[in-house]
Amino acid sequence: VIILSVMLAFYFLKDGGHLWNRSLTRVRPAAAGAVDAAGSRAFEVLSGYMVGTGAISLVGATSQLVIMVLLGIPLAMPIFVLSFFLCFIPYIGGFISTGLALLVTIATGSPTDVAIMLVWTLVFNLVTGNIVSPLVYGKTVHLHPAVVLVAIPAGSAIAGIVGMFLVVPFIGAIATIWRTVLEVIQMPRQPLDPSAMPGP
């Protein structure tokens, strides 16, 4: 799956623009401009979501690395790398990564270290999941933080972890392009030119 994802990402980055232009040639000329603009806006939403998620993951993983280094807990760097990738999964990823750091602290640290890490774990998950993520996604995906706060648990209930990851960019893209979609659907179709039709 990882190799396939990397290869698909490479080809989409390499030929994505060409594929999109070819797709636009199959759209009615009257609607091509609107479809192109809607696609650009949807791409901006998806890009903003990935940038926002990467920023949240980096800040969360870095703060975890700092506190583990200050407390002298081993395996700080491997957990930092794992935490960065896990935090791309809303709620669950941060819970797993901070849980691993807490378990390592329980196994190797003093009671004071465990207490500090436990408090930090609780505060980190509450603040990130309920305050930071909705605000960041609200700015990058152009959705109200309340919508993000409700959408992620709803996506989890519908499609599990995949739903949690995809629901915010999906709603953001729909909110961006739905007016254009309706306009394209309502555009009158151009009548066929009889002279251009093939003969019997």
Side-chain angles (χ1 to χ4, degrees):
V1 172
I2 293 175
I3 293 175
L4 179 61
S5 300
V6 171
M7 294 301 296
L8 286 175
F10 169 76
Y11 285 119
F12 278 126
L13 289 173
K14 179 177 179 291
D15 299 322
H18 178 65
L19 292 174
W20 177 249
N21 291 331
R22 288 189 61 183
S23 300
L24 288 176
T25 61
R26 301 180 180 273
V27 179
R28 285 177 292 160
V35 172
D36 188 24
S40 298
R41 291 195 297 269
F43 179 77
E44 290 175 1
V45 168
L46 297 177
S47 300
Y49 174 75
M50 295 307 298
V51 170
T53 303
I56 294 172
S57 300
L58 181 60
V59 171
T62 302
S63 62
Q64 183 168 281
L65 174 65
V66 169
I67 194 169
M68 291 185 72
V69 170
L70 291 177
L71 295 178
I73 306 300
L75 302 177
M77 186 55 66
I79 292 179
F80 163 79
V81 175
L82 183 62
S83 177
F84 174 77
F85 290 104
L86 284 175
C87 284
F88 275 81
I89 305 173
Y91 294 129
I92 294 178
F95 178 79
I96 295 174
S97 63
T98 55
L100 289 174
L102 179 61
L103 290 176
V104 172
T105 304
I106 292 174
T108 61
S110 65
T112 302
D113 295 337
V114 173
I116 293 174
M117 184 62 73
L118 179 61
V119 171
W120 179 86
T121 299
L122 294 174
V123 171
F124 173 82
N125 284 284
L126 289 174
V127 172
T128 301
N130 297 289
I131 299 176
V132 176
S133 294
L135 290 175
V136 171
Y137 290 144
K139 294 292 185 182
T140 57
V141 190
H142 309 295
L143 292 174
H144 193 279
V147 175
V148 177
L149 197 61
V150 174
I152 293 178
S156 173
I158 294 172
I161 294 177
V162 176
M164 294 177 69
F165 182 75
L166 295 179
V167 66
V168 173
F170 177 77
I171 293 177
I174 294 299
T176 301
I177 68 173
W178 70 272
R179 288 189 178 88
T180 302
V181 172
L182 292 179
E183 292 174 359
V184 171
I185 292 175
Q186 294 172 358
M187 282 182 179
R189 293 185 177 272
Q190 295 180 351
L192 294 175
D193 185 1
S195 63
M197 296 179 65

